Amino acid sequence: MSRQPADVQPEGTLDSPRTHGSDRMQRHGLEDRFRGFTEKFDVIVHQQIGLVKGEIRILYRTVRKGVRLYAGAVLAGQFAFLFLALAALAGLATWIGWGYAGLLLAAFWVIIAAVLIGMGRNGFEAFDGLPDGNATHREMPPKTSSRHTAP
């Protein structure tokens, strides 16, 4: 019978590094690491989604306020054009009569509407669709912090 040193153990024993037990330990170690990675990744994804939702809410509020202001400006402009048209109608009516003044003013507004329709059609034809998000993200300059502005 051969004697082996006390610190060397034969293969196949429980403490041997080449047994199935150590494979299981390595596998469990990898599973634990992967589980930890996926849990952290899940937390990060949820945090990013929350940040994007918050940014969208802020953007929506800002845009909504701007749209309301533009709508008010359009309404005020319509009233200005209405009263301007009525004044022009009354002024023309003193020279050529109410009927002809109405026809002349209507023809003027039809020409203005045709020009605006043509300009609007050109604007729609120039629209190619929304840009690819990844392409525009690469083109964006880095954000600067608004907290550290010079006085």
Side-chain angles (χ1 to χ4, degrees), residues 1 12 46 48 50 53 65 71 76 80 93:
M1 200 161 137
H46 284 292
Q48 290 297 321
K53 283 182 179 179
K65 181 179 178 181

Side-chain angles (χ1 to χ4, degrees), residues 9-19 22:
Q9 298 191 3
E11 288 187 37
T13 63
L14 290 176
D15 295 330
S16 172
R18 296 182 184 170
T19 62
S22 76

Side-chain angles (χ1 to χ4, degrees), residues 2-150:
S2 67
R3 288 191 66 175
Q4 295 182 344
D7 58 333
V8 176
Q9 298 191 3
E11 288 187 37
T13 63
L14 290 176
D15 295 330
S16 172
R18 296 182 184 170
T19 62
H20 297 292
S22 76
D23 290 341
R24 276 190 235 136
M25 287 178 57
Q26 285 179 342
R27 187 177 54 210
H28 286 301
L30 287 175
E31 287 175 359
D32 290 340
R33 287 180 186 164
F34 186 71
R35 185 178 301 117
F37 169 76
T38 56
E39 287 172 357
K40 290 176 184 176
F41 184 76
D42 187 49
V43 168
I44 290 171
V45 167
H46 284 292
Q47 288 175 346
Q48 290 297 321
I49 289 172
L51 288 172
V52 169
K53 283 182 179 179
E55 290 174 359
I56 289 173
R57 282 187 193 111
I58 292 170
L59 181 64
Y60 171 74
R61 289 180 189 138
T62 305
V63 169
R64 183 178 60 187
K65 181 179 178 181
V67 167
R68 286 179 179 173
L69 292 172
Y70 273 123
V74 166
L75 184 62
Q78 287 176 339
F79 277 117
F81 280 122
L82 173 69
F83 290 120
L84 179 67
L86 288 175
L89 180 67
L92 287 173
T94 58
W95 290 340
I96 57 175
W98 286 98
Y100 289 118
L103 286 175
L104 185 64
L105 201 56
F108 172 76
W109 286 114
V110 166
I111 292 169
I112 295 293
V115 168
L116 291 175
I117 286 172
M119 291 172 62
R121 183 177 301 142
N122 290 341
F124 277 119
E125 289 173 356
F127 181 68
D128 291 334
L130 294 176
D132 181 24
N134 291 331
T136 56
H137 180 69
R138 279 186 241 115
E139 295 170 3
M140 291 174 56
K143 289 186 178 181
T144 57
S145 177
S146 60
R147 287 185 243 156
H148 304 292
T149 57

